[in-house]
């Protein structure tokens, strides 16, 4: 198991290094006019050159990269070129909103997908056909369309939930839950469509295996065979799809945070990209990749525990 974890951590470090390096070099070409944008159109050429020097923009590309890499390895990502606020503080203040939506979405998707997928695999018939319709519809309709429809119905027409904004848990669990309900619902639709289908297919495949027939021939009840043995064999595939959906949600949360005016890291990333705020954007990229690596590691550990053959492969 230690070798298994070490290999996964090493792969995560390689991914983090590759993604952050490529992002840095791509952003280099978009930072040419940042000093002018910070100072405004009325700034003189001398003031712009002094600002470039202060930001280190007059240094060669590799010198800037090595300076950023050395600081990043020490957990230092500098300060925003526009606000002067620490990058780490900016991200930490935005992280609760994003992680509230993402984690609750993953939990809801996991529970609903297992219930629907297992029901479709066991009962088949109209439940199975209904799942096919939901899967196709969920994959075909873009998330932002789902979000707009949900806001129109549940926030504007019925007034059950706030249309925009985010309330912290410390302000009250009820307010917090109400503020993330619609964003979670918007992200859940596509997640359930893909994950439930995978759970259904995996469960059917496991239920047709020889060892399941053997267990049934020994007199084990259907519920025990299903929940104690079949689901364990089918869960690795579902977990893998769920981890991929986590990455998809992190990418899609940028649009969802814009629609629901959530002060999350997706909103921060878009704002930084528009302004060319390179330190903040690099910080967001590094923290996001770390989140993805950690979640994938946890999923790999769960899959390895459920299926020992996965540790070897």
């Amino acid at each position: 198991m230690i070798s298994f974890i070490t290999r996964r951590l090493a792969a995560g470090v390689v991914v983090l290094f590759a993604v952050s390096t490529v992002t840095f070099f791509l952003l280099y070409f978009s930072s040419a006019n940042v000093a002018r944008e910070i100072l405004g159109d009325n700034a003189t050429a001398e003031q712009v050159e002094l600002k470039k020097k202060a930001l280190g923009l007059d240094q060669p590309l590799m010198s800037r990269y090595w300076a950023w890499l050395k600081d990043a390895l020490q957990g230092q990502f500098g300060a925003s070129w526009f606000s002067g606020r620490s990058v780490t503080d900016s991200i930490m203040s935005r992280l609760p909103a994003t992680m509230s939506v993402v984690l609750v979405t993953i939990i809801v998707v996991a529970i609903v997908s297992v219930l629907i997928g297992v029901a479709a695999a066991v009962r088949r018939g109209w439940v199975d056909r209904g799942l096919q319709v939901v899967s196709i519809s969920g994959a075909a309709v873009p998330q932002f369309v789902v979000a707009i429809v949900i806001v129109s119905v549940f926030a504007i027409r019925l007034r059950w939930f706030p249309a925009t904004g985010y309330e912290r848990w410390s302000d009250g669990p009820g307010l917090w839950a109400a503020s993330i309900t619609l964003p979670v619902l918007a992200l859940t639709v596509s997640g359930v469509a893909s994950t439930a289908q995978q759970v259904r297919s995996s469960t059917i495949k496991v239920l047709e295996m020889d060892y399941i027939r053997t267990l049934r021939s020994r007199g084990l009840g259907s519920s025990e065979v299903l929940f104690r043995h079949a689901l364990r064999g089918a869960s690795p595939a579902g977990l893998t799809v769920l981890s991929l959906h986590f990455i998809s949600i992190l990418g899609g949360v940028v649009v969802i945070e814009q629609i629901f005016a959530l002060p999350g890291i997706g909103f921060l990333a878009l704002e930084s990209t528009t302004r060319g705020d390179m330190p903040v954007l690099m910080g967001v990229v590094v923290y996001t990749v770390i989140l993805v690596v950690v979640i994938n590691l946890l999923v790999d550990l769960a899959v390895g525990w459920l299926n020992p053959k996965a540790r070897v492969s």
Side-chain angles (χ1 to χ4, degrees):
M1 181 59 80
I2 293 177
S3 174
F4 177 76
I5 296 174
T6 303
R7 290 201 306 271
R8 290 296 185 270
L9 284 176
V13 171
V14 172
V15 170
L16 177 60
F17 176 77
V19 172
S20 59
T21 300
V22 170
T23 304
F24 185 93
F25 286 111
L26 289 176
L27 291 176
Y28 170 80
F29 299 101
S30 64
S31 60
N33 298 318
V34 168
R36 169 65 68 182
E37 293 175 10
I38 294 173
L39 296 174
D41 295 333
N42 296 326
T44 63
E46 290 76 13
Q47 290 174 319
V48 172
E49 289 303 318
L50 286 174
K51 191 65 178 177
K52 283 184 177 180
K53 189 174 182 180
L55 297 177
L57 298 176
D58 60 333
Q59 298 295 316
L61 173 60
M62 291 309 297
S63 297
R64 289 175 56 187
Y65 174 70
W66 285 119
W68 176 83
L69 185 61
K70 284 190 294 185
D71 290 341
L73 289 173
Q74 301 174 35
Q76 303 294 327
F77 296 98
S80 166
W81 283 346
F82 288 83
S83 67
R85 189 181 181 188
S86 164
V87 171
T88 302
D89 290 345
S90 297
I91 294 174
M92 288 300 148
S93 66
R94 303 293 190 100
L95 207 53
T98 299
M99 293 312 295
S100 295
V101 172
V102 172
L103 292 180
V104 173
T105 299
I106 288 295
I107 293 171
V108 173
V109 167
I111 294 173
V112 176
S113 298
V114 169
L115 292 175
I116 296 177
V118 171
V122 174
R123 294 184 177 278
R124 311 300 285 269
W126 67 268
V127 179
D128 197 13
R129 290 192 292 275
L131 175 59
Q132 304 300 324
V133 173
V134 171
S135 299
I136 295 173
S137 303
V141 181
Q143 284 181 340
F144 74 90
V145 174
V146 176
I148 292 172
V149 172
I150 288 173
V151 168
S152 301
V153 174
F154 295 103
I156 298 176
R157 181 164 299 180
L158 299 177
R159 298 181 182 277
W160 288 356
F161 302 98
T164 59
Y166 170 73
E167 300 290 342
R168 293 179 178 274
W169 176 272
S170 57
D171 297 331
L175 292 174
W176 169 81
S179 67
I180 67 169
T181 295
L182 296 187
V184 167
L185 192 57
L187 290 168
T188 296
V189 173
S190 61
V192 169
S194 59
T195 310
Q197 185 67 24
Q198 185 61 54
V199 172
R200 168 198 172 273
S201 302
S202 302
T203 305
I204 291 176
K205 185 177 179 181
V206 173
L207 288 174
E208 293 174 347
M209 289 184 171
D210 291 339
Y211 80 95
I212 295 294
R213 295 194 187 95
T214 303
L215 292 172
R216 284 174 172 159
S217 66
R218 291 178 179 175
L220 269 68
S222 300
S223 298
E224 185 176 0
V225 170
L226 176 63
F227 293 106
R228 188 174 178 182
H229 300 281
L231 277 185
R232 178 164 183 165
S235 53
L239 284 172
T240 302
V241 173
L242 209 57
S243 69
L244 294 175
H245 188 60
F246 175 82
I247 299 173
S248 172
I249 289 177
L250 278 180
V253 82
V254 175
V255 176
I256 295 300
E257 287 180 359
Q258 288 289 315
I259 294 174
F260 292 99
L262 296 175
I265 58 174
F267 200 105
L268 180 65
L270 187 62
E271 186 181 62
S272 304
T273 304
T274 305
R275 302 164 74 183
D277 200 343
M278 192 169 173
V280 176
L281 194 51
M282 287 302 301
V284 170
V285 168
V286 170
Y287 275 94
T288 303
V289 174
I290 290 175
L291 279 174
V292 171
V293 169
V294 170
I295 293 298
N296 278 330
L297 176 62
L298 294 175
V299 170
D300 285 343
L301 289 174
V303 171
W305 175 70
L306 292 166
N307 181 16
K309 292 181 180 177
R311 294 180 228 161
V312 179
S313 61

